Coordinates of all heavy atoms in Angstrom, one line a residue:
M1 N 78.5 45.9 -56.2 CA 78.7 46.6 -57.4 C 79.7 47.8 -57.1 O 79.3 48.8 -56.6 CB 77.3 47.3 -57.8 CG 77.4 48.5 -58.8 SD 75.8 49.1 -59.0 CE 75.4 50.0 -57.7
P2 N 81.0 47.5 -57.3 CA 82.0 48.5 -57.0 C 82.1 49.7 -58.0 O 81.7 49.4 -59.2 CB 83.3 47.7 -56.9 CG 83.0 46.5 -57.8 CD 81.5 46.2 -57.6
G3 N 82.4 50.8 -57.7 CA 82.5 51.9 -58.6 C 83.1 53.2 -57.9 O 83.2 53.2 -56.6
F4 N 83.4 54.2 -58.7 CA 83.8 55.5 -58.1 C 82.6 56.3 -57.6 O 81.5 56.1 -58.2 CB 84.5 56.2 -59.2 CG 85.8 55.6 -59.6 CD1 86.1 55.0 -60.9 CD2 86.9 55.6 -58.8 CE1 87.1 54.5 -61.2 CE2 88.1 55.0 -59.1 CZ 88.2 54.5 -60.3
L5 N 82.8 57.0 -56.5 CA 81.7 57.9 -55.9 C 81.4 59.0 -56.9 O 82.4 59.7 -57.3 CB 82.3 58.4 -54.5 CG 82.0 57.5 -53.4 CD1 82.9 56.2 -53.4 CD2 82.4 58.3 -52.1
L6 N 80.2 59.1 -57.2 CA 79.8 60.4 -58.0 C 79.8 61.6 -57.0 O 79.5 61.6 -55.9 CB 78.3 60.1 -58.3 CG 77.8 60.7 -59.7 CD1 78.7 60.0 -60.8 CD2 76.4 60.4 -60.0
T7 N 80.2 62.7 -57.7 CA 80.3 64.0 -57.1 C 79.5 65.0 -57.7 O 79.1 64.8 -58.9 CB 81.6 64.6 -56.8 OG1 82.2 65.0 -58.1 CG2 82.6 63.4 -56.1
V8 N 79.2 66.2 -57.2 CA 78.5 67.3 -57.9 C 79.3 67.8 -59.1 O 78.7 68.4 -60.0 CB 78.0 68.3 -56.9 CG1 77.0 67.9 -55.9 CG2 79.3 69.1 -56.4
A9 N 80.6 67.4 -59.2 CA 81.4 68.0 -60.3 C 81.4 66.9 -61.5 O 81.8 67.2 -62.6 CB 82.9 68.2 -59.8
S10 N 80.7 65.8 -61.2 CA 80.6 64.7 -62.4 C 79.8 65.4 -63.4 O 78.8 66.0 -63.1 CB 80.1 63.5 -61.8 OG 80.8 62.9 -60.7
Q11 N 80.1 65.0 -64.7 CA 79.2 65.4 -65.8 C 78.2 64.3 -66.1 O 78.7 63.2 -66.5 CB 80.1 65.8 -66.9 CG 80.9 66.9 -66.7 CD 81.9 67.3 -67.9 OE1 81.9 66.6 -68.9 NE2 82.6 68.4 -67.8
V12 N 76.9 64.6 -66.0 CA 75.9 63.6 -66.3 C 75.0 64.2 -67.2 O 74.5 65.3 -67.0 CB 75.2 63.4 -64.8 CG1 74.2 62.3 -65.1 CG2 76.1 62.8 -63.9
T13 N 74.4 63.5 -68.2 CA 73.4 63.8 -69.1 C 72.5 62.7 -69.3 O 72.7 61.6 -68.8 CB 73.9 64.1 -70.6 OG1 74.5 62.9 -71.0 CG2 74.9 65.3 -70.5
C14 N 71.2 63.1 -69.8 CA 70.3 62.0 -70.0 C 70.6 61.5 -71.4 O 71.5 62.0 -72.1 CB 68.8 62.5 -70.1 SG 68.4 63.6 -71.3
L15 N 70.0 60.3 -71.8 CA 70.4 59.8 -73.2 C 70.1 60.7 -74.4 O 70.6 60.6 -75.5 CB 69.5 58.6 -73.5 CG 70.0 57.2 -72.7 CD1 69.0 56.1 -72.9 CD2 71.3 56.9 -73.2
H16 N 69.2 61.8 -74.0 CA 68.9 62.6 -75.2 C 69.6 64.0 -74.9 O 69.2 65.1 -75.5 CB 67.4 62.9 -75.1 CG 66.7 61.7 -74.8 ND1 66.2 61.4 -73.4 CD2 66.4 60.6 -75.5 CE1 65.6 60.2 -73.4 NE2 65.7 59.7 -74.7
Q17 N 70.8 64.0 -74.3 CA 71.7 65.1 -74.2 C 71.2 66.3 -73.3 O 71.8 67.3 -73.3 CB 72.0 65.7 -75.5 CG 72.7 64.7 -76.5 CD 73.9 64.0 -75.9 OE1 74.8 64.7 -75.3 NE2 73.9 62.6 -75.9
G18 N 70.3 65.9 -72.4 CA 69.9 66.9 -71.4 C 70.9 67.0 -70.3 O 71.4 65.9 -69.8
K19 N 71.3 68.1 -69.8 CA 72.3 68.3 -68.8 C 71.7 68.1 -67.4 O 70.7 68.7 -67.0 CB 72.9 69.7 -69.0 CG 74.1 69.8 -67.9 CD 74.8 71.2 -68.1 CE 76.0 71.4 -67.3 NZ 76.0 71.0 -65.9
A20 N 72.2 67.3 -66.6 CA 71.8 67.0 -65.3 C 72.7 67.9 -64.3 O 73.9 68.1 -64.4 CB 72.0 65.5 -64.8
T21 N 71.9 68.5 -63.4 CA 72.4 69.3 -62.4 C 72.2 68.7 -61.0 O 71.0 68.4 -60.7 CB 71.9 70.9 -62.4 OG1 72.1 71.3 -63.7 CG2 72.5 71.6 -61.4
I22 N 73.2 68.5 -60.2 CA 73.1 67.8 -59.0 C 73.1 68.8 -57.8 O 74.0 69.6 -57.7 CB 74.1 66.7 -58.8 CG1 74.2 65.8 -59.9 CG2 74.0 66.0 -57.4 CD1 75.3 64.8 -60.1
V23 N 72.1 68.8 -57.0 CA 71.9 69.7 -55.8 C 72.2 68.8 -54.5 O 71.5 67.9 -54.3 CB 70.5 70.3 -55.6 CG1 70.6 71.2 -54.5 CG2 70.2 71.1 -57.0
P24 N 73.5 69.0 -54.0 CA 73.8 68.1 -52.9 C 73.0 68.4 -51.6 O 72.7 69.6 -51.3 CB 75.3 68.4 -52.7 CG 75.4 69.9 -53.1 CD 74.4 70.1 -54.2
G25 N 72.7 67.2 -51.0 CA 72.0 67.4 -49.6 C 73.1 67.6 -48.5 O 72.6 67.9 -47.3
Q26 N 74.3 67.5 -48.8 CA 75.4 67.7 -47.8 C 76.5 68.3 -48.5 O 76.7 68.1 -49.6 CB 75.8 66.4 -47.1 CG 76.3 65.2 -48.0 CD 77.8 65.4 -48.2 OE1 78.5 65.8 -47.4 NE2 78.2 65.1 -49.5
T27 N 77.4 69.0 -47.8 CA 78.6 69.6 -48.3 C 79.8 69.3 -47.4 O 80.8 69.9 -47.5 CB 78.5 71.0 -48.5 OG1 78.1 71.6 -47.1 CG2 77.3 71.5 -49.5
V28 N 79.7 68.3 -46.5 CA 80.8 68.0 -45.6 C 81.6 66.9 -46.2 O 82.9 67.1 -46.0 CB 80.0 67.4 -44.3 CG1 81.2 67.0 -43.3 CG2 79.2 68.5 -43.6
V29 N 81.2 65.9 -46.8 CA 82.1 64.8 -47.3 C 82.3 65.1 -48.7 O 81.5 65.2 -49.6 CB 81.4 63.4 -47.1 CG1 82.2 62.3 -47.7 CG2 81.0 63.2 -45.6
L30 N 83.6 65.2 -49.0 CA 84.1 65.6 -50.4 C 85.0 64.5 -50.9 O 85.6 63.7 -50.3 CB 84.9 67.0 -50.3 CG 84.4 68.1 -49.6 CD1 85.3 69.3 -49.7 CD2 83.0 68.6 -50.2
A31 N 84.9 64.5 -52.3 CA 85.9 63.6 -53.0 C 86.3 64.3 -54.2 O 85.5 64.9 -55.0 CB 85.1 62.2 -53.6
G32 N 87.6 64.5 -54.4 CA 88.1 65.4 -55.5 C 87.7 66.8 -55.3 O 87.6 67.6 -56.3
G33 N 87.5 67.2 -54.0 CA 87.2 68.6 -53.8 C 85.7 69.0 -54.0 O 85.3 70.1 -53.8
A34 N 84.8 68.0 -54.4 CA 83.4 68.3 -54.6 C 82.6 67.4 -53.6 O 82.9 66.3 -53.3 CB 83.0 68.0 -56.0
P35 N 81.4 67.9 -53.2 CA 80.5 67.0 -52.4 C 80.1 65.8 -53.1 O 79.9 65.7 -54.3 CB 79.3 68.0 -52.2 CG 79.7 69.3 -52.4 CD 80.8 69.2 -53.5
V36 N 80.2 64.6 -52.2 CA 79.6 63.3 -52.7 C 78.2 63.4 -52.9 O 77.5 63.9 -52.2 CB 80.2 62.3 -51.8 CG1 79.7 61.0 -52.1 CG2 81.8 62.2 -51.7
V37 N 77.7 62.7 -53.9 CA 76.3 62.5 -54.2 C 75.7 61.4 -53.4 O 76.3 60.3 -53.4 CB 75.9 62.3 -55.7 CG1 74.5 62.2 -55.9 CG2 76.6 63.5 -56.5
T38 N 74.6 61.6 -52.7 CA 73.9 60.6 -52.0 C 72.6 60.2 -52.7 O 72.1 61.1 -53.6 CB 73.7 60.8 -50.6 OG1 72.7 62.0 -50.5 CG2 74.9 61.2 -49.8
V39 N 71.9 59.2 -52.5 CA 70.7 58.7 -53.1 C 69.6 59.8 -52.8 O 68.7 60.0 -53.7 CB 70.2 57.5 -52.5 CG1 68.8 57.0 -53.0 CG2 71.2 56.4 -53.1
G40 N 69.7 60.6 -51.8 CA 68.6 61.5 -51.4 C 68.8 62.9 -52.1 O 67.9 63.7 -52.0
D41 N 69.8 63.0 -52.8 CA 70.1 64.3 -53.5 C 69.2 64.5 -54.7 O 68.8 63.6 -55.5 CB 71.6 64.5 -54.1 CG 72.5 64.6 -52.7 OD1 72.0 64.6 -51.7 OD2 73.8 64.4 -53.0
V42 N 68.9 65.8 -55.1 CA 68.0 66.2 -56.2 C 68.9 66.3 -57.4 O 69.9 67.0 -57.4 CB 67.3 67.5 -56.0 CG1 66.6 68.0 -57.1 CG2 66.5 67.5 -54.7
V43 N 68.5 65.5 -58.5 CA 69.2 65.6 -59.8 C 68.2 66.1 -60.9 O 67.3 65.3 -61.3 CB 69.8 64.3 -60.1 CG1 70.7 64.4 -61.4 CG2 70.5 63.6 -59.0
A44 N 68.4 67.2 -61.2 CA 67.4 67.8 -62.2 C 68.0 67.9 -63.5 O 69.3 68.0 -63.7 CB 67.0 69.4 -61.8
V45 N 67.3 67.6 -64.6 CA 67.8 67.6 -66.0 C 67.0 68.8 -66.8 O 65.8 68.9 -66.7 CB 67.3 66.2 -66.6 CG1 67.7 66.3 -68.1 CG2 68.0 65.1 -65.9
A46 N 67.8 69.5 -67.5 CA 67.4 70.6 -68.4 C 67.8 70.4 -69.8 O 69.0 69.9 -70.0 CB 67.8 71.9 -67.8
G47 N 67.1 70.7 -70.8 CA 67.6 70.7 -72.2 C 67.4 69.3 -72.8 O 68.1 69.0 -73.9
C48 N 66.6 68.4 -72.3 CA 66.4 67.1 -72.9 C 65.7 67.3 -74.2 O 64.7 68.0 -74.4 CB 65.5 66.2 -72.0 SG 65.2 64.5 -72.7
A49 N 66.2 66.6 -75.2 CA 65.7 66.7 -76.7 C 64.7 65.7 -77.0 O 64.3 65.5 -78.0 CB 66.9 66.7 -77.6
L50 N 64.2 64.9 -76.1 CA 63.2 63.8 -76.3 C 61.9 64.6 -76.7 O 61.2 65.1 -75.8 CB 62.9 63.0 -75.1 CG 61.9 61.8 -75.4 CD1 62.4 60.9 -76.4 CD2 61.7 61.1 -74.0
S51 N 61.4 64.3 -78.0 CA 60.2 65.1 -78.4 C 59.4 64.0 -79.2 O 58.3 64.4 -79.7 CB 60.5 66.3 -79.1 OG 61.3 66.0 -80.2
G52 N 59.9 62.8 -79.5 CA 59.2 61.9 -80.4 C 57.9 61.2 -79.7 O 57.1 60.7 -80.5
A53 N 57.9 61.3 -78.5 CA 56.8 60.6 -77.7 C 55.5 61.5 -77.8 O 55.6 62.7 -78.1 CB 57.0 60.4 -76.3
T54 N 54.4 60.8 -77.8 CA 53.1 61.7 -77.8 C 52.3 61.5 -76.5 O 51.9 60.2 -76.3 CB 52.2 61.2 -79.0 OG1 53.0 61.3 -80.2 CG2 51.0 62.1 -79.2
P55 N 52.2 62.4 -75.6 CA 52.7 63.6 -75.8 C 54.2 63.7 -75.5 O 54.6 62.7 -74.8 CB 51.9 64.5 -74.8 CG 51.5 63.6 -73.7 CD 51.3 62.2 -74.5
P56 N 55.0 64.7 -75.8 CA 56.4 64.8 -75.6 C 56.7 64.7 -74.0 O 55.8 65.4 -73.3 CB 56.8 66.1 -76.1 CG 55.9 66.4 -77.1 CD 54.6 65.9 -76.7
S57 N 57.5 63.9 -73.6 CA 57.7 63.8 -72.1 C 59.3 63.8 -71.9 O 59.9 62.7 -71.6 CB 57.0 62.6 -71.6 OG 57.4 61.4 -72.2
P58 N 59.9 64.9 -72.0 CA 61.4 65.0 -71.8 C 61.8 64.6 -70.3 O 61.1 64.7 -69.4 CB 61.8 66.4 -72.1 CG 60.6 67.2 -71.9 CD 59.3 66.2 -72.2
C59 N 63.1 64.2 -70.2 CA 63.5 63.9 -68.9 C 63.6 65.1 -68.1 O 64.1 66.3 -68.6 CB 65.0 63.3 -69.1 SG 65.1 61.8 -70.1
V60 N 63.3 65.1 -66.8 CA 63.4 66.2 -65.9 C 64.2 65.9 -64.6 O 64.5 66.7 -64.0 CB 62.0 66.8 -65.5 CG1 61.4 67.4 -66.7 CG2 61.2 65.8 -64.9
T61 N 64.4 64.6 -64.3 CA 65.0 64.1 -63.2 C 65.9 62.9 -63.5 O 65.6 62.2 -64.4 CB 64.1 64.0 -61.9 OG1 63.2 62.8 -62.3 CG2 63.4 65.1 -61.5
V62 N 66.7 62.6 -62.6 CA 67.4 61.2 -62.5 C 67.3 60.6 -61.2 O 67.6 61.3 -60.2 CB 68.9 61.4 -62.9 CG1 69.7 60.1 -62.8 CG2 69.0 62.0 -64.3
D63 N 66.9 59.4 -61.2 CA 66.8 58.6 -60.0 C 68.0 57.6 -59.9 O 68.2 56.8 -60.7 CB 65.5 57.9 -59.9 CG 65.4 56.9 -58.6 OD1 66.2 57.0 -57.7 OD2 64.4 56.2 -58.5
F64 N 68.9 57.8 -58.9 CA 70.0 57.1 -58.8 C 70.0 55.9 -57.8 O 70.9 55.3 -57.3 CB 71.3 57.8 -58.4 CG 71.9 58.6 -59.6 CD1 72.0 60.0 -59.5 CD2 72.5 57.9 -60.7 CE1 72.6 60.7 -60.6 CE2 73.1 58.6 -61.7 CZ 73.0 60.0 -61.6
A65 N 68.7 55.4 -57.5 CA 68.5 54.5 -56.4 C 69.2 53.1 -56.8 O 69.8 52.4 -56.0 CB 67.0 54.2 -56.1
L66 N 69.2 52.9 -58.2 CA 70.0 51.6 -58.6 C 71.4 51.7 -58.5 O 72.1 50.7 -58.5 CB 69.5 51.4 -60.1 CG 68.1 51.2 -60.5 CD1 68.0 51.1 -61.9 CD2 67.5 49.9 -59.8
A67 N 72.0 52.8 -58.4 CA 73.4 52.9 -58.2 C 73.9 53.2 -56.8 O 75.0 53.6 -56.5 CB 74.0 54.1 -59.1
A68 N 73.1 52.8 -55.8 CA 73.3 53.1 -54.4 C 74.4 52.1 -53.8 O 74.3 50.9 -54.2 CB 72.0 53.0 -53.5
S69 N 75.2 52.6 -53.1 CA 76.2 51.7 -52.4 C 75.6 51.0 -51.2 O 74.6 51.5 -50.7 CB 77.5 52.6 -51.7 OG 78.2 51.8 -51.0
T70 N 75.9 49.7 -51.1 CA 75.5 49.0 -50.0 C 76.3 49.1 -48.8 O 76.0 48.6 -47.7 CB 75.3 47.6 -50.4 OG1 76.5 47.0 -50.8 CG2 74.2 47.4 -51.6
R71 N 77.4 49.8 -48.8 CA 78.5 49.8 -47.8 C 78.8 51.2 -47.4 O 79.5 51.3 -46.3 CB 79.7 49.0 -48.2 CG 79.4 47.5 -48.3 CD 80.7 46.8 -48.7 NE 80.3 45.3 -48.8 CZ 81.3 44.4 -48.9 NH1 82.6 44.8 -48.6 NH2 81.0 43.2 -49.1
V72 N 78.8 52.2 -48.2 CA 79.4 53.4 -48.0 C 78.1 54.4 -47.8 O 77.3 54.6 -48.8 CB 80.2 54.0 -49.1 CG1 80.8 55.3 -48.7 CG2 81.4 53.0 -49.3
F73 N 78.0 55.1 -46.7 CA 77.0 56.1 -46.3 C 77.5 57.4 -46.0 O 78.5 57.5 -45.4 CB 76.1 55.4 -45.3 CG 75.4 54.2 -45.6 CD1 76.0 53.0 -45.6 CD2 74.0 54.3 -46.0 CE1 75.3 51.9 -46.0 CE2 73.4 53.0 -46.3 CZ 74.0 51.8 -46.3
V74 N 76.8 58.4 -46.2 CA 77.1 59.8 -45.8 C 75.8 60.3 -45.2 O 74.8 60.3 -45.7 CB 77.4 60.7 -47.0 CG1 77.6 62.1 -46.5 CG2 78.8 60.2 -47.6
L75 N 76.0 60.7 -43.9 CA 74.9 61.2 -43.0 C 73.6 60.1 -43.1 O 72.5 60.6 -43.2 CB 74.5 62.6 -43.4 CG 75.6 63.7 -43.4 CD1 75.1 65.0 -43.8 CD2 76.1 63.7 -41.9
G76 N 74.0 58.8 -43.1 CA 72.9 57.7 -43.1 C 72.3 57.5 -44.4 O 71.4 56.7 -44.5
K77 N 72.7 58.2 -45.6 CA 72.2 58.0 -46.8 C 73.4 57.2 -47.7 O 74.6 57.7 -47.6 CB 71.8 59.3 -47.6 CG 70.6 59.9 -46.8 CD 70.2 61.0 -47.6 CE 69.0 61.8 -46.7 NZ 68.7 63.1 -47.3
P78 N 72.9 56.2 -48.6 CA 73.9 55.7 -49.4 C 74.5 56.5 -50.4 O 73.8 57.4 -50.9 CB 73.2 54.4 -50.0 CG 71.8 54.6 -49.7 CD 71.6 55.6 -48.6
V79 N 75.8 56.4 -50.7 CA 76.4 57.4 -51.8 C 76.0 56.7 -53.2 O 75.7 55.5 -53.2 CB 77.9 57.4 -51.7 CG1 78.3 58.1 -50.3 CG2 78.6 56.1 -51.7
V80 N 76.2 57.4 -54.2 CA 75.9 57.1 -55.5 C 77.2 56.5 -56.2 O 78.2 57.4 -56.0 CB 75.2 58.1 -56.4 CG1 75.0 57.7 -57.8 CG2 73.8 58.4 -55.8
L81 N 77.3 55.4 -56.8 CA 78.4 54.9 -57.4 C 78.4 54.9 -58.9 O 77.2 54.8 -59.4 CB 78.7 53.5 -56.9 CG 78.8 53.3 -55.4 CD1 79.0 51.7 -55.2 CD2 80.1 54.0 -55.0
E82 N 79.5 55.1 -59.6 CA 79.4 55.0 -60.9 C 80.0 53.6 -61.4 O 81.3 53.5 -61.4 CB 80.2 56.1 -61.7 CG 80.3 55.9 -63.1 CD 81.5 56.5 -63.9 OE1 82.4 56.9 -63.1 OE2 81.7 56.4 -65.1
P83 N 79.2 52.7 -61.5 CA 79.8 51.4 -61.8 C 80.1 51.2 -63.3 O 79.8 52.0 -64.1 CB 78.6 50.3 -61.6 CG 77.3 51.2 -61.9 CD 77.7 52.6 -61.5
A84 N 81.0 50.2 -63.6 CA 81.4 50.0 -65.0 C 80.2 49.3 -65.7 O 79.7 48.3 -65.2 CB 82.6 49.1 -65.0
G85 N 79.7 49.9 -66.8 CA 78.6 49.3 -67.5 C 77.3 50.0 -67.1 O 77.3 51.0 -66.4
P86 N 76.1 49.4 -67.6 CA 74.9 50.0 -67.4 C 74.3 49.9 -65.9 O 75.0 49.1 -65.2 CB 74.0 49.4 -68.3 CG 74.5 48.0 -68.6 CD 76.1 48.3 -68.5
G87 N 73.3 50.5 -65.6 CA 72.8 50.4 -64.3 C 73.0 51.5 -63.4 O 72.7 51.4 -62.2
T88 N 73.4 52.7 -63.9 CA 73.7 53.8 -62.9 C 72.5 54.6 -62.5 O 72.7 55.5 -61.7 CB 74.6 54.8 -63.7 OG1 74.1 55.2 -64.9 CG2 76.0 54.1 -64.1
G89 N 71.4 54.5 -63.1 CA 70.2 55.1 -62.6 C 69.2 55.2 -63.7 O 69.3 54.5 -64.7
V90 N 68.2 55.9 -63.5 CA 67.0 56.0 -64.4 C 66.7 57.5 -64.7 O 66.4 58.2 -63.8 CB 65.9 55.2 -64.0 CG1 64.6 55.4 -64.9 CG2 66.2 53.8 -63.8
S91 N 66.8 58.0 -65.9 CA 66.2 59.3 -66.2 C 64.7 59.1 -66.3 O 64.1 58.3 -66.8 CB 66.7 59.8 -67.5 OG 68.1 59.9 -67.5
Q92 N 64.0 60.2 -65.7 CA 62.5 60.1 -65.6 C 61.9 61.5 -66.1 O 62.4 62.5 -66.0 CB 62.2 60.0 -64.2 CG 62.7 58.7 -63.5 CD 62.2 58.6 -62.0 OE1 62.2 59.5 -61.3 NE2 62.0 57.4 -61.7
S93 N 60.7 61.2 -66.7 CA 59.9 62.4 -67.2 C 59.2 63.0 -65.9 O 59.3 62.5 -64.8 CB 58.8 61.9 -68.2 OG 57.9 61.2 -67.5
A94 N 58.3 64.0 -66.1 CA 57.7 64.7 -65.0 C 56.7 63.7 -64.4 O 56.3 63.9 -63.2 CB 57.0 65.9 -65.5
T95 N 56.2 62.7 -65.2 CA 55.3 61.8 -64.5 C 56.0 60.5 -64.0 O 55.4 59.6 -63.7 CB 54.4 61.3 -65.6 OG1 54.9 60.6 -66.7 CG2 53.4 62.4 -66.2
K96 N 57.3 60.6 -63.8 CA 58.2 59.5 -63.3 C 58.3 58.4 -64.4 O 58.8 57.2 -63.9 CB 57.8 59.1 -62.0 CG 57.6 60.1 -60.9 CD 59.1 60.6 -60.5 CE 59.0 61.7 -59.4 NZ 60.2 62.4 -59.3
A97 N 57.9 58.5 -65.5 CA 58.1 57.5 -66.6 C 59.6 57.3 -66.9 O 60.3 58.3 -67.2 CB 57.3 57.7 -67.8
P98 N 60.1 56.1 -66.8 CA 61.6 55.8 -67.1 C 61.9 56.3 -68.7 O 61.0 56.0 -69.5 CB 61.8 54.4 -66.9 CG 60.4 53.8 -66.8 CD 59.4 54.9 -66.5
Q99 N 62.9 57.0 -68.8 CA 63.3 57.4 -70.2 C 64.6 57.0 -70.7 O 65.2 57.3 -71.6 CB 63.3 58.9 -70.3 CG 62.1 59.6 -69.8 CD 60.8 59.4 -70.8 OE1 61.0 58.6 -71.8 NE2 59.7 60.0 -70.6
G100 N 65.4 56.1 -69.8 CA 66.6 55.5 -70.2 C 67.5 55.8 -69.1 O 67.3 56.3 -68.1
T101 N 68.8 55.2 -69.4 CA 69.9 55.4 -68.4 C 70.7 56.5 -68.6 O 71.0 56.8 -69.8 CB 70.8 54.1 -68.6 OG1 70.1 52.9 -68.4 CG2 71.9 54.1 -67.6
P102 N 71.1 57.3 -67.5 CA 71.7 58.5 -67.8 C 73.2 58.1 -68.1 O 73.7 57.0 -67.8 CB 71.7 59.2 -66.4 CG 71.3 58.0 -65.5 CD 70.6 57.1 -66.1
V103 N 73.9 59.1 -68.8 CA 75.3 59.0 -69.2 C 76.2 59.7 -68.3 O 76.1 61.0 -68.2 CB 75.4 59.3 -70.7 CG1 76.8 59.2 -71.1 CG2 74.4 58.6 -71.6
I104 N 77.2 59.1 -67.6 CA 78.1 59.8 -66.9 C 79.5 59.9 -67.8 O 80.1 58.9 -68.0 CB 78.4 59.1 -65.5 CG1 77.1 59.0 -64.8 CG2 79.4 59.8 -64.8 CD1 77.2 58.0 -63.6
T105 N 79.8 61.2 -68.1 CA 81.0 61.3 -68.9 C 82.3 61.6 -68.2 O 83.3 61.5 -68.8 CB 80.7 62.4 -69.9 OG1 80.3 63.6 -69.4 CG2 79.7 62.0 -71.0
S106 N 82.1 62.2 -67.0 CA 83.4 62.3 -66.2 C 83.0 62.3 -64.7 O 81.9 62.7 -64.3 CB 84.1 63.6 -66.5 OG 83.4 64.7 -65.9
T107 N 83.9 61.8 -63.8 CA 83.8 61.7 -62.4 C 85.2 61.6 -61.9 O 86.1 61.4 -62.5 CB 82.9 60.5 -62.0 OG1 82.6 60.7 -60.6 CG2 83.5 59.2 -62.3
Q108 N 85.3 61.8 -60.6 CA 86.5 61.7 -59.9 C 87.0 60.2 -59.8 O 86.1 59.3 -59.9 CB 86.5 62.3 -58.4 CG 85.5 61.7 -57.5 CD 85.9 60.4 -57.0 OE1 87.2 60.3 -56.6 NE2 85.0 59.5 -56.7
L109 N 88.2 60.1 -59.9 CA 88.8 58.7 -60.0 C 89.7 58.2 -58.7 O 90.5 57.4 -58.8 CB 89.7 58.6 -61.2 CG 88.9 58.9 -62.5 CD1 89.9 58.8 -63.8 CD2 87.7 57.8 -62.7
R110 N 89.4 58.9 -57.6 CA 90.2 58.5 -56.4 C 89.4 57.7 -55.3 O 89.9 56.7 -54.8 CB 90.8 59.7 -55.8 CG 91.8 60.4 -56.6 CD 92.4 61.5 -56.0 NE 93.8 61.4 -56.2 CZ 94.8 62.0 -55.6 NH1 94.5 62.9 -54.6 NH2 96.0 61.8 -55.9
A111 N 88.2 58.2 -55.0 CA 87.4 57.5 -54.0 C 86.5 56.5 -54.6 O 85.7 56.8 -55.5 CB 86.7 58.5 -53.2
A112 N 86.5 55.3 -54.2 CA 85.6 54.2 -54.6 C 84.9 53.6 -53.5 O 85.2 53.7 -52.4 CB 86.4 53.2 -55.5
G113 N 83.8 52.9 -53.8 CA 83.1 52.1 -52.9 C 82.4 51.0 -53.5 O 82.5 50.6 -54.7
S114 N 81.6 50.2 -52.7 CA 80.8 49.1 -53.2 C 79.5 49.0 -52.5 O 79.3 49.6 -51.5 CB 81.6 47.8 -53.0 OG 81.9 47.5 -51.7

């Protein structure tokens, strides 16, 4: 699954327009001047508008395990790739219930992996 490396400067939202904030676990490896995101990094979502469920369970995190590189690692952890098409991760509620695929609207376009 080739794709560009996600960085903390990438713009990510949940399907319900909640803004994802990526807290990097490392600041040594950069792409486009920003730390590269690894599978172990914390991705918190704020402002999710999902309220139709009973009880409401808005997105609070994003799990990027599905977007992990199989060949590129940073400090022993796989980097997160932005592949073309779906499969970039899973937005989750506080109870870890899947809420849909996150939307990546911008990322750096120089460093790629698979």
Side-chain angles (χ1 to χ4, degrees):
M1 165 181 76
F4 293 109
L5 277 63
L6 210 63
T7 69
V8 297
S10 302
Q11 293 179 0
V12 181
T13 62
C14 70
L15 281 176
H16 321 103
Q17 302 306 310
K19 185 179 183 317
T21 303
I22 303 167
V23 179
Q26 62 84 32
T27 57
V28 177
V29 180
L30 308 176
V36 172
V37 177
T38 65
V39 172
D41 293 347
V42 175
V43 184
V45 176
C48 176
L50 179 63
S51 61
T54 305
S57 55
C59 303
V60 294
T61 62
V62 175
D63 179 5
F64 279 120
L66 296 175
S69 173
T70 57
R71 295 182 180 194
V72 182
F73 294 82
V74 172
L75 300 176
K77 295 180 182 175
V79 298
V80 174
L81 302 175
E82 181 209 2
T88 58
V90 177
S91 297
Q92 298 177 324
S93 69
T95 60
K96 302 289 185 199
Q99 304 291 7
T101 303
V103 178
I104 300 170
T105 55
S106 74
T107 191
Q108 59 80 34
L109 301 175
R110 293 190 136 194
S114 62

